[in-house]
Amino acid sequence: MESNTASNEADASEAPTGANRPVSLSDEADLDAFVADADAALVEFYTDGCGICASMEPVIGNVARGAETDLAVGMVNPRDDPPLVERFDVRSVPLFVLFVDGEPVARRAEGFIPGDDLTAWVDEHAN
């Protein structure tokens, strides 16, 4: 057991910071703090029970793990904090909003987006 723990700790320390998994954000304050702490952040607005949102989970996870830059990736359910719906004009989910230096610079709400397309979109708008 101890060798597995040491091995897991070593693996965790070798993982790139900010690029391992999407962070679950609980409300508007969490979202604001999250994007303020990142040079670039991709946030998925989703709802529970949304089939397309569920199918995007592994895609957004792969984007987070495969990001070559320090892209922070987060997920927020705007139904948990209704002011988010109005602030970001959420009309459908999944909605992806890309933030650079804490400001929203691009948004995309087209249903399922393949990982390569999502990564290319982020790269196009983050630079």
Side-chain angles (χ1 to χ4, degrees), residues 32 34-41 98-105 126:
D32 288 341
F34 179 74
V35 300
D37 287 344
D39 291 336
L98 180 64
F99 295 82
V100 175
D101 296 326
E103 296 297 320
V105 297

Side-chain angles (χ1 to χ4, degrees), residues 18-19 21-23 25 30-45 60 63-64 67 69-76 88 95-108 118 121-123 125-127:
R21 346 185 134 148
V23 175
L25 307 168
D30 261 8
L31 172 67
D32 288 341
F34 179 74
V35 300
D37 287 344
D39 291 336
L42 175 64
V43 177
E44 177 189 9
F45 291 77
I60 198 168
V63 169
T69 61
D70 285 334
L71 177 70
V73 179
M75 300 171 64
V76 65
F88 291 98
L95 165 66
F96 295 92
V97 178
L98 180 64
F99 295 82
V100 175
D101 296 326
E103 296 297 320
V105 297
R107 53 186 286 134
R108 193 166 176 181
L118 190 57
W121 177 78
V122 167
D123 290 344
H125 293 283
N127 297 323

Side-chain angles (χ1 to χ4, degrees), residues 39-96:
D39 291 336
L42 175 64
V43 177
E44 177 189 9
F45 291 77
Y46 73 95
T47 56
D48 294 328
C50 164
I52 295 172
C53 299
S55 68
M56 285 303 303
E57 281 186 36
V59 174
I60 198 168
N62 287 338
V63 169
R65 283 186 293 281
E68 292 181 17
T69 61
D70 285 334
L71 177 70
V73 179
M75 300 171 64
V76 65
N77 184 341
R79 287 191 181 166
D80 294 340
D81 192 357
L84 283 173
V85 174
E86 185 175 324
R87 179 176 166 194
F88 291 98
D89 193 26
V90 179
R91 296 174 186 237
S92 65
V93 290
L95 165 66
F96 295 92

